[in-house]
Amino acid sequence: MDMLWSGWGDPAKAAPLPETVTGLLRDLLGVRPRTAEPIALADIAVPAPGLEPAALQDLVAAAGGEEHVRTDAETRVRHTRGKSTPDLLRIRDGEVDADLPAAVVLPADHDEVVAVLRVCTGHGLPVVPFGGGTSVVGGLAPAGRRPFVALDLRRMDRMLALDPVSRTATLQPGLRAPQAEALLAEHGFTLGHFPQSYEWASIGGFAATRSSGQASAGYGRFDEMVLGLTVATPEGTLDTGRAPRSAAGPDLRQLLLGSEGAFGVITSVTVRIRPVPQTRVYEGWRFASFEEGATALRRLAQDGPRPTVLRLSDETETLVGLAQPDAIGGGLPADAGCLAITGYEGTEEDTAHRREQAAAVLRACGGTPLGEEPGRRWAHGRYSAPYLRDSLLDAGAFAETLETATFWSGIPGLYAAVRDALTGTLTEAGTPPLVMCHISHVYENGASLYFTVVSAQGEDPLKHWERAKRAANDAIIEAGGTITHHHGVGTDHRDWYVREAGALGVEALRAVKRRLDPSGLLNPGVLLPLD
């Protein structure tokens, strides 16, 4: 099944907002219902593909048949941009021209990817790898207005190998996360990677963006799971990962992870896997303040025992109920404080031990146990936030997210700087926002901050958000944070990534791109500015 073309996920899971929420939006933020319905897919004016007949013929030959090269209007629209709020607002208004692929090509294996790249190089066609289509940072919107090819990897959806002794699996990039989990579960294993995009995102996309899942405290980030990569480039094939760790020079895996299709197309990923846990337990804790809760999370991250899931919502997110998206508008008390969710997965004995020891730390830090009900509600709604975003858009609100990370000592300053930038800029624009935040990923030395912004759309929501996003990005860099923790760079963060990496660092990456992609055809303008 394809994702909803003008929103997130499965259309059957979308639900209108409860009256408590629409009333809050109206009274607090001045949100008014949309004056016009979104355009229908069939009514979008889609220009001709613009491909030369010879190029189309060569693509058909490289992909193994006409059925694997699609130029119809609906397929091309479905491969236009990703799923950020600006992406959705544009496509709901029928605006597709600038980012519409000329053709969607569906290769079956590594050799066909190599062949397609060879054809595209010969005809000067840019190539945008397409996995689940879940990018929220402009990662599927190449710079320039030349005809380009969307390389949809969905046919590459197999598990190529499983080594139960070493606990590794080799997966193709088009395999979506639920299907990967199902294949691994047949052998008693799990990857343990459950980001909010889990239902739709692909294995290749996880690697290309350095994804981080909601159980990262226990299982680690996706880039920490990757042991090997095979990557097709216009100049040939790269194979990395002969051993789990090596001292044989710089690790090329780290160069390719997070490269977002700018250096090559990932065609297989070897990952470490773990046994399916015997038990999973999630519970809630209340802290009087975000500062108090952050101290508790830091204690667990640094000194243990570390839960598998560890996250903390600030006062606003807790009060609104976004900490448990399926309970939004549930009328939490004004003194709700901050909700923390802890989760434990593993053997019965290990889970019980870590839970008991962690509870002692949380109590010592001022936490009040709320039992398993908040944890169950979080687990039930853990993939619901993108659907909630669509419902907010339908109601006339603007809703978007951004994230960053820093060291523990920098968390308070970064939190305040981003909140102030978003609130000040959007208020000046006449659309005062509700700004919420949570800590979603923790490390011994720091943590991530994930912000959600809701406001009225106003007369020009895209312009308002562009100004606010720029202000927030500037605040992140000036406060010492990283411009992205797990969403990726794309085009939205590219200019700030340049500031973060520094001039010499960017030139080093340009040199890599010139060697692997001399014509500059791989996802141009994504990750790095055009030359």
Side-chain angles (χ1 to χ4, degrees):
M1 180 176 65
D2 288 324
M3 191 187 296
L4 178 64
W5 70 275
S6 59
W8 181 266
D10 181 356
K13 294 185 178 181
L17 296 174
E19 177 56 35
T20 53
V21 177
T22 56
L24 176 67
L25 294 171
R26 180 181 61 249
D27 298 340
L28 181 64
L29 302 178
V31 171
R32 297 293 179 264
R34 289 176 56 93
T35 58
E37 291 295 318
I39 193 171
L41 176 57
D43 294 334
I44 294 178
V46 178
L51 278 180
E52 295 292 335
L56 182 59
Q57 182 178 352
D58 288 346
L59 286 172
V60 168
E66 292 182 359
E67 66 272 26
H68 306 313
V69 179
R70 302 176 185 174
T71 58
D72 61 284
E74 178 174 339
T75 300
R76 292 165 63 207
V77 169
R78 289 185 178 276
H79 289 76
T80 298
R81 307 187 195 99
K83 296 298 181 180
S84 70
T85 295
D87 289 341
L88 297 187
L89 288 175
R90 290 188 180 104
I91 205 162
R92 286 175 173 211
D93 286 341
E95 181 190 327
V96 297
D97 288 12
D99 304 316
L100 186 76
V104 178
V105 180
L106 296 90
D109 55 30
H110 174 83
D111 290 342
E112 287 192 0
V113 172
V114 171
V116 170
L117 292 182
R118 188 179 302 118
V119 168
C120 290
T121 298
H123 290 279
L125 291 171
V127 180
V128 177
F130 193 100
T134 60
S135 172
V136 292
V137 293
L140 303 175
R145 300 183 67 90
R146 293 177 293 175
F148 73 92
V149 167
L151 193 68
D152 189 323
L153 302 168
R154 72 177 64 190
R155 293 177 65 209
M156 300 174 65
D157 62 354
R158 294 182 296 125
M159 180 166 68
L160 301 176
L162 186 140
D163 180 349
V165 176
S166 303
R167 290 187 177 175
T168 67
T170 300
L171 309 173
Q172 288 188 306
L175 192 61
R176 288 185 175 168
Q179 286 69 47
E181 282 295 320
L183 289 172
L184 292 170
E186 292 177 5
H187 301 273
F189 291 104
T190 179
L191 187 56
H193 190 68
F194 304 105
Q196 199 170 80
S197 61
Y198 169 79
E199 297 172 307
W200 296 91
S202 67
I203 294 297
F206 290 156
T209 59
R210 291 186 181 270
S211 173
S212 193
Q214 295 171 339
S216 64
Y219 290 99
R221 293 165 54 94
F222 193 80
D223 49 4
E224 296 170 332
M225 302 176 186
V226 174
L227 302 174
L229 293 167
T230 301
V231 178
T233 82
E235 293 294 287
T237 297
L238 284 172
D239 279 307
T240 68
R242 297 174 64 91
R245 296 291 185 271
S246 171
D251 191 344
L252 289 177
R253 288 172 293 195
Q254 297 305 316
L255 180 64
L256 297 167
L257 289 166
S259 59
E260 301 185 30
F263 296 162
V265 180
I266 295 169
T267 58
S268 74
V269 184
T270 299
V271 290
R272 63 116 173 98
I273 53 178
R274 292 182 178 169
V276 172
Q278 294 177 358
T279 186
R280 293 183 172 94
V281 180
Y282 308 106
E283 59 187 13
W285 289 78
R286 179 193 178 276
F287 289 91
S289 68
F290 194 53
E291 180 182 6
E292 188 178 83
T295 298
L297 266 61
R298 177 174 61 82
R299 284 277 304 276
L300 290 176
Q302 291 181 335
D303 302 325
R306 186 177 293 192
T308 309
V309 173
L310 188 56
R311 51 198 294 120
L312 172 74
S313 293
D314 71 359
E315 292 89 345
T316 307
E317 186 171 285
T318 300
L319 180 62
V320 171
L322 195 61
Q324 302 169 100
D326 67 333
I328 192 78
L332 293 175
D335 63 349
C338 294
L339 175 65
I341 298 294
T342 60
Y344 307 88
E345 300 182 8
T347 64
E348 297 278 358
E349 180 180 2
D350 174 67
T351 294
H353 176 73
R354 283 190 293 134
R355 187 181 181 189
E356 179 182 359
Q357 296 299 311
V361 174
L362 294 170
R363 282 194 178 92
C365 291
T368 301
L370 302 177
E372 294 184 25
E373 177 60 21
R376 283 194 292 264
R377 295 198 72 104
W378 170 80
H380 181 264
R382 64 194 298 183
Y383 308 126
S384 300
Y387 293 99
L388 175 62
R389 187 267 308 265
D390 286 2
S391 298
L392 288 165
L393 293 180
D394 291 340
F398 182 94
E400 186 57 298
T401 62
L402 59 88
E403 40 76 47
T404 179
T406 191
F407 297 103
W408 284 113
S409 59
I411 288 288
L414 181 60
Y415 173 72
V418 176
R419 279 179 56 90
D420 289 349
L422 291 167
T423 301
T425 308
L426 286 168
T427 300
E428 289 175 4
T431 53
L434 190 66
V435 180
M436 299 163 276
C437 182
H438 64 260
I439 293 174
S440 53
H441 306 279
V442 300
Y443 308 94
E444 181 179 354
N445 308 111
S448 69
L449 292 173
Y450 190 102
F451 294 87
T452 300
V453 186
V454 181
S455 71
Q457 291 188 10
E459 293 184 5
D460 192 342
L462 293 177
K463 183 178 180 180
H464 289 180
W465 178 245
E466 182 182 0
R467 290 181 62 233
K469 175 72 169 175
R470 292 183 68 87
N473 288 353
D474 286 341
I476 287 171
I477 295 298
E478 291 164 8
T482 180
I483 196 59
T484 176
H485 172 263
H486 58 269
H487 280 172
V489 174
T491 55
D492 293 359
H493 295 148
R494 180 191 60 214
D495 295 343
W496 290 268
Y497 173 59
V498 167
R499 290 168 59 183
E500 182 175 329
L504 184 59
V506 170
E507 284 308 308
L509 293 175
R510 284 190 186 280
V512 172
K513 183 168 177 64
R514 282 193 293 268
R515 180 62 186 89
L516 299 178
D517 178 26
S519 301
L521 298 177
L522 292 175
N523 227 359
V526 170
L527 185 67
L528 297 171
L530 296 177
D531 285 326

